[in-house]
Coordinates of all heavy atoms in Angstrom, one line a residue:
M518 N 132.8 89.8 221.4 CA 131.7 90.7 221.3 C 132.1 92.2 221.5 O 133.1 92.4 222.2 CB 130.7 90.3 222.4 CG 129.5 91.1 222.4 SD 128.3 90.2 223.4 CE 127.3 91.5 224.0
C519 N 131.5 93.0 220.8 CA 131.8 94.4 220.8 C 131.5 95.0 222.3 O 130.5 94.8 222.8 CB 130.9 95.2 219.8 SG 131.4 96.9 219.7
R520 N 132.6 95.6 222.8 CA 132.4 96.1 224.2 C 131.4 97.2 224.3 O 130.9 97.5 225.4 CB 133.7 96.6 224.7 CG 134.6 95.4 225.1 CD 135.9 96.0 225.7 NE 136.9 95.6 224.7 CZ 138.2 96.0 224.7 NH1 138.6 96.8 225.7 NH2 139.0 95.6 223.8
N521 N 131.0 97.8 223.2 CA 130.0 98.9 223.3 C 128.6 98.4 223.3 O 127.7 99.2 223.6 CB 130.2 99.9 222.1 CG 131.5 100.6 222.2 OD1 132.0 100.8 223.3 ND2 132.0 101.1 221.0
I522 N 128.4 97.2 223.1 CA 127.0 96.6 223.1 C 126.8 96.2 224.6 O 127.5 95.3 225.1 CB 126.9 95.4 222.1 CG1 127.1 95.9 220.7 CG2 125.5 94.8 222.3 CD1 127.0 94.8 219.7
K523 N 125.8 96.8 225.1 CA 125.5 96.5 226.6 C 124.4 95.5 226.7 O 123.5 95.3 225.8 CB 124.9 97.8 227.2 CG 125.8 99.0 227.0 CD 127.1 98.8 227.8 CE 128.0 100.1 227.8 NZ 129.3 99.9 227.4
T524 N 124.4 94.7 227.8 CA 123.3 93.8 228.1 C 122.0 94.6 228.4 O 122.0 95.5 229.1 CB 123.7 93.0 229.4 OG1 124.9 92.3 229.1 CG2 122.6 92.0 229.8
L525 N 121.0 94.1 227.8 CA 119.7 94.8 227.9 C 118.6 94.1 228.6 O 117.6 94.6 229.0 CB 119.2 95.2 226.5 CG 120.1 96.1 225.7 CD1 119.4 96.4 224.3 CD2 120.3 97.4 226.4
F526 N 118.9 92.8 228.8 CA 117.8 91.9 229.5 C 117.9 92.0 231.0 O 119.0 92.1 231.6 CB 118.1 90.5 229.1 CG 117.1 89.5 229.7 CD1 115.7 89.6 229.5 CD2 117.5 88.5 230.5 CE1 114.8 88.8 230.1 CE2 116.6 87.6 231.1 CZ 115.3 87.7 230.9
N527 N 116.7 92.0 231.6 CA 116.5 91.8 233.1 C 117.0 93.1 233.8 O 117.6 93.0 234.9 CB 117.2 90.6 233.6 CG 116.6 90.2 234.9 OD1 115.5 90.5 235.3 ND2 117.4 89.6 235.8
F528 N 116.6 94.2 233.3 CA 116.9 95.5 234.1 C 115.5 96.1 234.5 O 114.5 95.9 233.7 CB 117.6 96.4 233.2 CG 119.2 96.2 233.2 CD1 119.7 95.5 232.1 CD2 119.9 96.6 234.3 CE1 121.1 95.2 232.2 CE2 121.2 96.4 234.3 CZ 121.9 95.6 233.2
E529 N 115.5 96.8 235.4 CA 114.4 97.6 235.9 C 114.8 99.1 235.9 O 115.7 99.4 236.6 CB 113.9 97.2 237.3 CG 112.5 97.7 237.6 CD 111.4 97.2 236.6 OE1 111.4 96.1 236.2 OE2 110.7 98.1 236.3
P530 N 114.2 99.9 235.2 CA 113.1 99.7 234.1 C 113.7 98.9 232.9 O 114.9 98.9 232.7 CB 112.7 101.1 233.7 CG 113.9 102.0 234.0 CD 114.6 101.4 235.2
P531 N 112.8 98.3 232.1 CA 113.3 97.6 231.0 C 114.0 98.5 229.9 O 113.9 99.7 230.0 CB 112.0 97.1 230.3 CG 111.0 97.2 231.4 CD 111.4 98.3 232.3
A532 N 114.7 97.9 229.0 CA 115.5 98.6 228.0 C 114.5 99.5 227.2 O 113.4 99.0 226.9 CB 116.2 97.6 227.1
T533 N 115.0 100.6 226.9 CA 114.1 101.5 226.1 C 114.4 101.2 224.6 O 115.4 100.5 224.2 CB 114.6 103.0 226.3 OG1 115.9 103.2 225.9 CG2 114.4 103.4 227.7
E534 N 113.6 101.8 223.7 CA 113.7 101.6 222.3 C 115.0 102.2 221.8 O 115.7 101.7 220.9 CB 112.5 102.3 221.6 CG 112.4 102.0 220.2 CD 112.2 100.5 219.8 OE1 111.5 99.8 220.6 OE2 112.7 100.0 218.8
D535 N 115.4 103.3 222.4 CA 116.7 104.0 222.1 C 117.9 103.0 222.4 O 118.8 103.0 221.6 CB 116.8 105.3 222.8 CG 116.0 106.4 222.2 OD1 115.5 106.2 221.1 OD2 115.7 107.4 222.9
E536 N 117.8 102.4 223.5 CA 118.9 101.5 223.9 C 118.9 100.3 223.0 O 120.1 99.8 222.6 CB 118.7 101.0 225.3 CG 119.0 102.0 226.4 CD 118.6 101.6 227.7 OE1 117.5 101.0 227.9 OE2 119.4 101.9 228.7
I537 N 117.8 99.7 222.6 CA 117.8 98.6 221.7 C 118.3 99.1 220.3 O 119.1 98.3 219.7 CB 116.3 98.1 221.5 CG1 115.9 97.5 222.9 CG2 116.2 97.1 220.4 CD1 114.4 97.1 222.9
R538 N 117.9 100.2 219.8 CA 118.4 100.7 218.5 C 119.9 101.0 218.6 O 120.6 100.7 217.7 CB 117.6 102.0 218.2 CG 118.1 102.5 216.8 CD 117.1 103.4 216.2 NE 117.6 104.0 214.9 CZ 117.7 103.3 213.8 NH1 117.4 102.0 213.7 NH2 118.2 103.9 212.7
A539 N 120.4 101.5 219.7 CA 121.8 101.8 219.7 C 122.6 100.5 219.7 O 123.7 100.4 219.1 CB 122.1 102.6 221.0
S540 N 122.1 99.5 220.4 CA 122.8 98.2 220.4 C 122.8 97.6 219.0 O 123.8 97.0 218.5 CB 122.0 97.3 221.4 OG 122.7 96.0 221.4
A541 N 121.7 97.7 218.3 CA 121.5 97.2 217.0 C 122.5 97.9 216.0 O 123.2 97.3 215.1 CB 120.1 97.3 216.4
L542 N 122.6 99.2 216.2 CA 123.5 100.0 215.3 C 124.9 99.6 215.6 O 125.7 99.4 214.6 CB 123.3 101.5 215.7 CG 124.2 102.5 215.0 CD1 124.0 102.4 213.4 CD2 124.0 103.9 215.4
Q543 N 125.3 99.4 216.8 CA 126.7 98.9 217.1 C 127.0 97.6 216.5 O 128.1 97.3 216.0 CB 126.9 98.9 218.6 CG 127.1 100.2 219.3 CD 128.3 101.0 218.7 OE1 129.4 100.4 218.4 NE2 128.3 102.3 218.6
F544 N 126.0 96.7 216.5 CA 126.2 95.3 216.0 C 126.4 95.4 214.5 O 127.3 94.8 214.0 CB 125.0 94.5 216.4 CG 125.1 93.1 215.9 CD1 125.9 92.2 216.6 CD2 124.3 92.6 214.8 CE1 125.9 90.9 216.1 CE2 124.4 91.3 214.4 CZ 125.2 90.4 215.1
V545 N 125.6 96.2 213.8 CA 125.7 96.3 212.4 C 126.9 97.0 212.0 O 127.6 96.6 211.0 CB 124.4 97.0 211.8 CG1 124.7 97.3 210.3 CG2 123.2 96.2 212.0
R546 N 127.4 98.0 212.8 CA 128.7 98.6 212.5 C 129.8 97.6 212.6 O 130.7 97.6 211.8 CB 128.9 99.8 213.5 CG 128.1 101.0 213.2 CD 128.4 102.1 214.2 NE 127.8 103.3 213.8 CZ 127.6 104.3 214.7 NH1 128.1 104.3 215.9 NH2 127.0 105.5 214.3
K547 N 129.8 96.8 213.6 CA 130.8 95.8 213.9 C 130.8 94.8 212.7 O 131.9 94.5 212.2 CB 130.5 95.1 215.2 CG 131.6 94.1 215.6 CD 132.9 94.9 216.0 CE 133.9 94.0 216.7 NZ 135.0 94.7 217.1
L548 N 129.7 94.3 212.3 CA 129.6 93.3 211.3 C 130.1 93.9 209.9 O 130.8 93.2 209.2 CB 128.2 92.8 211.1 CG 127.7 91.8 212.1 CD1 126.3 91.4 211.8 CD2 128.5 90.6 212.2
S549 N 129.6 95.1 209.6 CA 129.9 95.7 208.3 C 131.3 96.3 208.2 O 131.9 96.4 207.1 CB 128.9 96.7 208.0 OG 129.0 97.9 208.8
G550 N 131.9 96.7 209.4 CA 133.1 97.4 209.3 C 132.9 98.9 209.0 O 133.9 99.6 208.9
F551 N 131.7 99.4 208.9 CA 131.5 100.7 208.6 C 131.0 101.5 209.8 O 130.1 101.1 210.5 CB 130.3 100.9 207.5 CG 130.6 100.3 206.2 CD1 129.6 99.6 205.6 CD2 131.8 100.5 205.6 CE1 129.8 99.1 204.3 CE2 132.0 100.0 204.3 CZ 131.0 99.3 203.7
N552 N 131.7 102.6 210.1 CA 131.1 103.4 211.2 C 130.0 104.4 210.6 O 129.0 104.6 211.2 CB 132.2 104.3 211.8 CG 131.8 105.1 213.0 OD1 130.9 104.6 213.7 ND2 132.3 106.3 213.2
K553 N 130.2 104.8 209.3 CA 129.3 105.6 208.6 C 129.4 105.0 207.2 O 130.4 105.2 206.5 CB 129.5 107.0 208.6 CG 128.5 107.9 207.8 CD 128.6 109.3 208.2 CE 127.7 110.2 207.4 NZ 126.5 109.6 206.8
P554 N 128.4 104.3 206.6 CA 128.4 103.8 205.3 C 128.4 104.9 204.2 O 127.9 105.9 204.5 CB 127.2 102.8 205.2 CG 126.2 103.4 206.2 CD 127.1 104.0 207.3
S555 N 128.8 104.5 203.1 CA 128.7 105.4 201.9 C 127.2 105.6 201.6 O 126.4 104.8 201.9 CB 129.5 104.8 200.7 OG 128.9 103.6 200.3
Q556 N 127.0 106.6 200.7 CA 125.6 106.8 200.3 C 125.1 105.6 199.5 O 123.9 105.3 199.7 CB 125.5 108.0 199.3 CG 125.7 109.3 200.1 CD 125.6 110.5 199.1 OE1 125.6 110.4 197.9 NE2 125.4 111.7 199.7
H557 N 125.9 104.9 198.8 CA 125.5 103.7 198.0 C 125.1 102.6 199.0 O 124.2 101.9 198.6 CB 126.7 103.3 197.1 CG 126.4 102.1 196.3 ND1 125.6 102.2 195.2 CD2 126.8 100.8 196.4 CE1 125.5 101.0 194.7 NE2 126.2 100.1 195.4
N558 N 125.7 102.5 200.1 CA 125.4 101.4 201.1 C 124.4 101.8 202.2 O 124.1 100.9 203.0 CB 126.7 100.9 201.7 CG 127.6 100.2 200.7 OD1 127.0 99.4 199.9 ND2 128.8 100.4 200.8
Q559 N 124.0 103.1 202.3 CA 123.2 103.6 203.4 C 121.9 102.8 203.5 O 121.5 102.5 204.6 CB 123.0 105.1 203.2 CG 122.3 105.7 204.4 CD 123.2 105.8 205.6 OE1 124.3 106.3 205.5 NE2 122.7 105.3 206.7
A560 N 121.2 102.6 202.4 CA 119.9 101.9 202.5 C 120.1 100.5 203.0 O 119.2 100.1 203.9 CB 119.2 101.8 201.1
A561 N 121.0 99.8 202.6 CA 121.3 98.4 203.1 C 121.6 98.4 204.5 O 121.2 97.6 205.3 CB 122.4 97.7 202.3
F562 N 122.5 99.4 205.0 CA 122.9 99.5 206.3 C 121.7 99.8 207.2 O 121.5 99.2 208.2 CB 123.9 100.7 206.4 CG 124.6 100.9 207.7 CD1 125.8 100.2 208.0 CD2 124.0 101.7 208.7 CE1 126.4 100.3 209.2 CE2 124.7 101.9 209.9 CZ 125.9 101.2 210.2
D563 N 120.9 100.8 206.8 CA 119.7 101.2 207.6 C 118.7 100.0 207.7 O 118.1 99.8 208.8 CB 119.0 102.4 207.0 CG 119.9 103.6 207.1 OD1 120.8 103.7 208.0 OD2 119.5 104.6 206.3
H564 N 118.6 99.3 206.7 CA 117.6 98.1 206.7 C 118.1 97.0 207.7 O 117.4 96.5 208.4 CB 117.5 97.5 205.3 CG 116.6 96.4 205.2 ND1 115.2 96.6 205.3 CD2 116.8 95.1 205.0 CE1 114.6 95.3 205.2 NE2 115.6 94.5 205.0
A565 N 119.4 96.8 207.6 CA 120.1 95.9 208.6 C 119.9 96.3 210.0 O 119.5 95.5 210.9 CB 121.5 95.6 208.2
V566 N 120.0 97.6 210.3 CA 119.9 98.1 211.7 C 118.4 97.8 212.1 O 118.1 97.4 213.2 CB 120.2 99.6 211.8 CG1 119.8 100.2 213.1 CG2 121.7 99.8 211.5
E567 N 117.5 98.1 211.2 CA 116.0 97.9 211.6 C 115.8 96.4 211.8 O 115.0 96.1 212.8 CB 115.1 98.4 210.5 CG 115.1 100.0 210.4 CD 114.8 100.6 211.8 OE1 113.9 100.2 212.5 OE2 115.5 101.5 212.1
E568 N 116.3 95.5 211.0 CA 116.0 94.1 211.2 C 116.6 93.6 212.5 O 116.0 92.9 213.2 CB 116.6 93.3 210.0 CG 115.8 93.4 208.8 CD 116.2 92.6 207.6 OE1 117.4 92.1 207.7 OE2 115.5 92.3 206.7
V569 N 117.9 94.0 212.8 CA 118.5 93.7 214.0 C 117.7 94.2 215.2 O 117.5 93.6 216.2 CB 120.0 94.0 214.1 CG1 120.6 93.9 215.5 CG2 120.8 93.3 213.1
C570 N 117.3 95.4 215.1 CA 116.5 96.1 216.2 C 115.2 95.3 216.4 O 114.8 95.0 217.6 CB 116.2 97.5 215.8 SG 115.5 98.6 217.0
D571 N 114.5 94.9 215.3 CA 113.3 94.1 215.5 C 113.6 92.7 216.2 O 112.9 92.3 217.1 CB 112.6 93.8 214.2 CG 112.1 95.1 213.6 OD1 111.9 96.1 214.3 OD2 111.8 95.1 212.3
A572 N 114.6 92.1 215.8 CA 115.0 90.8 216.3 C 115.4 90.9 217.8 O 115.0 90.1 218.7 CB 116.2 90.2 215.6
A573 N 116.1 92.0 218.2 CA 116.5 92.2 219.5 C 115.3 92.5 220.4 O 115.1 91.9 221.5 CB 117.4 93.4 219.6
R574 N 114.3 93.3 219.9 CA 113.1 93.5 220.6 C 112.3 92.2 220.9 O 111.8 92.0 222.0 CB 112.2 94.5 219.9 CG 111.1 95.1 220.6 CD 110.3 96.1 219.8 NE 111.1 97.1 219.1 CZ 111.3 97.1 217.8 NH1 110.9 96.2 217.0 NH2 112.0 98.1 217.3
R575 N 112.2 91.4 219.8 CA 111.5 90.1 220.0 C 112.2 89.2 221.0 O 111.5 88.6 221.8 CB 111.4 89.4 218.6 CG 110.3 90.0 217.7 CD 110.0 89.1 216.5 NE 111.2 88.7 215.8 CZ 111.8 89.4 214.8 NH1 111.3 90.5 214.4 NH2 112.8 88.9 214.2
L576 N 113.5 89.2 221.0 CA 114.2 88.4 221.9 C 114.0 88.9 223.3 O 113.7 88.1 224.2 CB 115.8 88.5 221.6 CG 116.7 87.8 222.6 CD1 116.4 86.3 222.6 CD2 118.1 88.1 222.3
L577 N 114.1 90.2 223.6 CA 114.0 90.7 224.9 C 112.6 90.5 225.5 O 112.5 90.2 226.7 CB 114.4 92.2 224.9 CG 115.8 92.5 224.7 CD1 116.0 94.0 224.6 CD2 116.7 91.9 225.8
T578 N 111.6 90.5 224.6 CA 110.2 90.3 225.1 C 109.9 88.9 225.4 O 108.9 88.5 226.1 CB 109.2 90.9 224.2 OG1 109.3 90.4 222.9 CG2 109.3 92.5 224.2
S579 N 110.7 87.9 224.8 CA 110.4 86.5 224.9 C 111.2 85.8 226.0 O 110.9 84.7 226.4 CB 110.6 85.8 223.5 OG 112.0 85.8 223.2
L580 N 112.2 86.5 226.4 CA 113.1 85.9 227.5 C 112.4 86.0 228.9 O 111.7 86.9 229.1 CB 114.5 86.6 227.6 CG 115.4 86.5 226.4 CD1 116.6 87.3 226.5 CD2 115.8 85.0 226.2
H581 N 112.7 84.9 229.7 CA 112.1 84.9 231.0 C 113.2 84.5 232.0 O 114.1 83.7 231.6 CB 111.0 83.9 231.1 CG 109.8 84.1 230.2 ND1 108.9 85.1 230.5 CD2 109.5 83.6 229.0 CE1 108.1 85.1 229.4 NE2 108.4 84.2 228.5
T582 N 113.1 85.0 233.3 CA 114.1 84.6 234.3 C 113.4 84.6 235.6 O 112.5 85.3 235.8 CB 115.3 85.6 234.3 OG1 116.3 85.1 235.2 CG2 114.9 87.0 234.5
Q583 N 114.0 83.9 236.5 CA 113.5 83.9 237.9 C 114.4 84.9 238.8 O 114.0 85.2 239.9 CB 113.7 82.5 238.6 CG 112.8 81.5 237.9 CD 111.3 81.8 238.1 OE1 110.9 82.3 239.0 NE2 110.6 81.4 237.0
A584 N 115.5 85.3 238.2 CA 116.3 86.3 238.9 C 115.7 87.7 239.0 O 114.9 88.1 238.2 CB 117.6 86.5 238.1
A585 N 116.0 88.3 240.1 CA 115.5 89.7 240.4 C 116.1 90.6 239.3 O 117.2 90.5 238.9 CB 115.9 90.2 241.8
P586 N 115.3 91.6 238.9 CA 115.9 92.6 237.9 C 117.1 93.3 238.4 O 117.1 93.6 239.6 CB 114.7 93.6 237.7 CG 113.5 92.8 238.1 CD 113.9 91.9 239.2
R587 N 118.0 93.6 237.5 CA 119.2 94.4 238.0 C 119.0 95.8 238.0 O 118.1 96.4 237.2 CB 120.4 94.0 237.0 CG 120.8 92.5 237.2 CD 121.8 92.2 236.2 NE 121.2 92.0 234.9 CZ 121.8 91.7 233.9 NH1 123.2 91.5 233.8 NH2 121.2 91.5 232.7
D588 N 119.7 96.6 238.8 CA 119.7 98.0 238.8 C 120.7 98.6 237.9 O 121.9 98.3 238.1 CB 119.9 98.5 240.3 CG 119.7 100.0 240.5 OD1 120.7 100.6 240.1 OD2 118.6 100.4 240.9
R589 N 120.3 99.5 237.0 CA 121.3 100.1 236.1 C 122.4 100.9 236.8 O 123.6 100.8 236.5 CB 120.6 101.0 235.1 CG 119.7 100.3 234.2 CD 119.0 101.3 233.3 NE 117.9 100.6 232.6 CZ 118.1 99.9 231.5 NH1 119.3 99.7 231.0 NH2 117.0 99.2 230.9
A590 N 122.1 101.6 237.9 CA 123.1 102.3 238.6 C 124.2 101.5 239.3 O 125.4 101.7 239.2 CB 122.5 103.3 239.6
I591 N 123.7 100.4 239.9 CA 124.6 99.4 240.5 C 125.5 98.8 239.5 O 126.7 98.6 239.6 CB 123.9 98.4 241.3 CG1 123.2 99.1 242.5 CG2 124.7 97.3 241.8 CD1 122.2 98.2 243.3
E592 N 124.9 98.4 238.4 CA 125.8 97.7 237.3 C 126.8 98.7 236.7 O 127.9 98.3 236.4 CB 124.8 97.2 236.2 CG 123.9 96.0 236.7 CD 124.7 94.8 237.2 OE1 125.7 94.4 236.6 OE2 124.3 94.2 238.2
A593 N 126.4 100.0 236.6 CA 127.3 100.9 236.0 C 128.5 101.1 237.0 O 129.7 101.2 236.6 CB 126.6 102.3 235.8
E594 N 128.2 101.1 238.3 CA 129.3 101.2 239.3 C 130.2 100.0 239.3 O 131.5 100.2 239.4 CB 128.7 101.4 240.7 CG 128.2 102.8 241.0 CD 129.3 103.8 240.9 OE1 130.4 103.6 241.4 OE2 129.0 104.9 240.3
K595 N 129.6 98.8 239.1 CA 130.5 97.6 239.0 C 131.4 97.7 237.8 O 132.6 97.4 237.9 CB 129.6 96.4 238.9 CG 128.9 96.0 240.2 CD 128.0 94.8 239.9 CE 127.2 94.4 241.0 NZ 126.3 93.2 240.7
A596 N 130.9 98.2 236.7 CA 131.6 98.3 235.5 C 132.8 99.4 235.6 O 133.9 99.2 235.2 CB 130.8 98.7 234.3
K597 N 132.5 100.5 236.3 CA 133.5 101.4 236.6 C 134.6 100.9 237.5 O 135.8 101.1 237.2 CB 132.9 102.7 237.3 CG 132.1 103.6 236.4 CD 131.6 104.8 237.1 CE 130.6 105.6 236.2 NZ 130.0 106.7 237.0
E598 N 134.3 100.1 238.5 CA 135.2 99.5 239.3 C 136.1 98.5 238.6 O 137.3 98.4 238.7 CB 134.6 98.8 240.5 CG 135.5 98.1 241.5 CD 136.4 99.1 242.2 OE1 136.2 100.3 242.2 OE2 137.4 98.7 242.7
R599 N 135.5 97.7 237.7 CA 136.3 96.7 236.9 C 137.2 97.5 236.0 O 138.4 97.0 235.8 CB 135.3 95.8 236.1 CG 134.6 94.8 236.8 CD 133.9 93.8 235.9 NE 133.0 94.4 234.9 CZ 131.6 94.6 235.3 NH1 131.1 94.2 236.4 NH2 130.9 95.1 234.3
S600 N 136.8 98.5 235.4 CA 137.6 99.4 234.6 C 138.8 99.9 235.3 O 139.9 99.9 234.9 CB 136.9 100.5 233.9 OG 137.6 101.2 233.1
R601 N 138.5 100.5 236.6 CA 139.5 101.1 237.4 C 140.6 100.0 237.7 O 141.8 100.3 237.7 CB 138.9 101.6 238.7 CG 139.9 102.5 239.5 CD 139.4 102.8 240.9 NE 139.1 101.7 241.7 CZ 140.0 101.0 242.4 NH1 141.3 101.2 242.2 NH2 139.6 100.0 243.1
L602 N 140.2 98.8 238.1 CA 141.1 97.8 238.5 C 141.9 97.3 237.3 O 143.1 97.0 237.4 CB 140.3 96.5 239.0 CG 139.7 96.7 240.4 CD1 138.8 95.6 240.8 CD2 140.7 97.0 241.5
R603 N 141.3 97.3 236.1 CA 142.0 96.8 234.9 C 143.0 97.9 234.4 O 144.1 97.5 234.0 CB 141.0 96.5 233.9 CG 141.6 96.0 232.6 CD 140.5 95.6 231.6 NE 141.1 95.1 230.4 CZ 140.5 94.8 229.3 NH1 139.2 95.1 229.2 NH2 141.2 94.3 228.2
F604 N 142.6 99.1 234.4 CA 143.4 100.2 233.7 C 144.1 101.1 234.7 O 144.8 101.9 234.3 CB 142.5 101.0 232.7 CG 142.0 100.1 231.6 CD1 140.6 99.9 231.6 CD2 142.8 99.6 230.7 CE1 140.1 99.2 230.6 CE2 142.2 98.8 229.6 CZ 140.9 98.6 229.6
G605 N 143.7 101.0 236.0 CA 144.3 101.8 237.0 C 143.9 103.2 237.2 O 143.3 104.0 236.8

């Protein structure tokens, strides 16, 4: 999985539309191999981003859990600590 795609489920506050779109964009970039598609492929690329964004939004709204929502600041600190331990 692409390391730039972040977990969006079960956070308080919930994922924003911008976060969902950024995740969809990273996913389509990874699949297509394009960071920025050519003009010829731009429409197909944009359409794919919108479809993935819609699917991600539907997924996030349909998931349920008994776990308490996670805090973004705490999760960010955990990620920084993991990175520090891994890379020094």
